[in-house]
Every structure is written in C-alpha cells, then in structure tokens.
Amino acid sequence: MQREQKSNSYIVGAVLIMGYLYYRATFQQDFYALPNIIANQLQAQPLSGLFATFTFRYGEQVISIEALGYFGFLGFFGSKIWLFLSYSILAYLWYGGLSGKMREAFTPIVVALLLSVSYAAADEFHQSFVSPAFAMKEDVILAGIGAILAIIAGWFFLIARKGRK
C-alpha cells in the first residue's frame, strides 16, 4: 500500500512538472529574463574574459558575448540548464512512479524516456505557435539527454536501495 502511494506521488509530481512546462511555454515572456536578475548580482562581470573565447551556434542563433552581451550569454546558459533540469526531474518522476507499478525492470525505463522526450517534442511544437519562444530541435535533444541521465541515476538509486534491503 505504501509503495502504491509513493508511486502515485511520483506520477502526480510528473504531471505537475508537465503542467508547469506547458504554462511556462504558453505565455509570452522575455527570452532572456534571467540576465536582469543576474545583472544585479554580477555587476563586475566575472570571467568575462574566459566567456569571450566561446562562440558557437545553437540552432540558427550565434551564442557569444559579442552577439548576446555578457548577461544574455549567461542567461542563455541559465535557460538551457533550467530546461535540462526540468526534463531530468520529469523523467526521474515518471521512472519512480512507473517502477513502483511495473514488475519488469526495463519497461519503466523505456516508458519514462518515451513520455519525457515525447513531451519535450510536443512542448517545442507548442512553442512554435507562441511568440517570441523558439521551437528548436536542439532543445528536444538537450531535454532527452537530461531525461536519459535522470533515468540512469534513478535506476542506480533503485538498485542501491534494493541491495540494502
């Protein structure tokens, strides 16, 4: 009974995360709202010399301090870290909820991964209709990597917990 309640709690948490991600993508928002917060804390712009050496493309956008400014550059990484963590948590919650309901070891891994990556793709598709958010396949890949790593971590935690019992 307690295992069933724990599984249900994980699944409810996953649905809440999905609701949050939908809500966040639904409304127009400043794509780099994070830099305003960072600007108040990092007025001296530490490590700007190191960051200036990095220039790359992410989708159609050039990512560099020259193109985005110091705080835009940090904001880009902040938003991608937040994306990665959000989908990591989502996948971990799906895995935790499904592993308590399914006897097989492999099925919860596959289902949690499919749910998380499918939702990332659906979220990016949804963002294509909402301006100024950008739909990018790179974000789906980043979310998928976060989901895979979270499921691997969840699997190790589950194995370690079973080993202690």
Side-chain angles (χ1 to χ4, degrees):
M1 182 69 170
Q2 188 177 12
R3 181 178 174 173
E4 185 75 19
Q5 286 178 331
K6 190 173 184 179
S7 289
N8 290 341
S9 297
Y10 279 113
I11 291 172
V12 167
V15 171
L16 289 173
I17 294 290
M18 291 170 74
Y20 161 76
L21 291 168
Y22 180 82
Y23 176 81
R24 186 170 180 245
T26 299
F27 297 101
Q28 292 185 3
Q29 53 191 320
D30 182 13
F31 189 66
Y32 294 118
L34 187 60
N36 296 330
I37 297 166
I38 294 172
N40 294 330
Q41 303 297 319
L42 302 174
Q43 292 177 355
Q45 298 184 1
L47 301 176
S48 59
L50 175 66
F51 295 153
T53 61
F54 294 105
T55 300
F56 60 95
R57 296 187 74 74
Y58 190 84
E60 298 293 318
Q61 187 177 17
V62 174
I63 306 300
S64 69
I65 285 186
E66 184 178 313
L68 301 174
Y70 179 80
F71 298 113
F73 185 78
L74 291 181
F76 169 80
F77 282 103
S79 68
K80 298 311 168 191
I81 289 169
W82 187 250
L83 173 80
F84 180 87
L85 290 175
S86 297
Y87 281 95
S88 294
I89 293 167
L90 177 64
Y92 182 79
L93 291 172
W94 274 124
Y95 175 70
L98 295 172
S99 64
K101 296 194 175 289
M102 299 177 179
R103 298 256 182 231
E104 307 87 37
F106 191 65
T107 305
I109 292 171
V110 172
V111 173
L113 185 61
L114 286 174
L115 284 169
S116 300
V117 174
S118 297
Y119 193 75
D123 185 46
E124 291 300 314
F125 179 71
H126 173 240
Q127 284 183 23
S128 69
F129 298 111
V130 181
S131 179
F134 306 106
M136 303 178 80
K137 66 182 177 290
E138 291 84 357
D139 285 348
V140 176
I141 293 168
L142 184 61
I145 292 169
I148 289 169
L149 293 177
I151 290 170
I152 290 170
W155 181 74
F156 278 121
F157 290 143
L158 186 66
I159 296 299
R161 191 172 8 144
K162 285 182 179 178
R164 284 186 290 191
K165 290 183 180 181

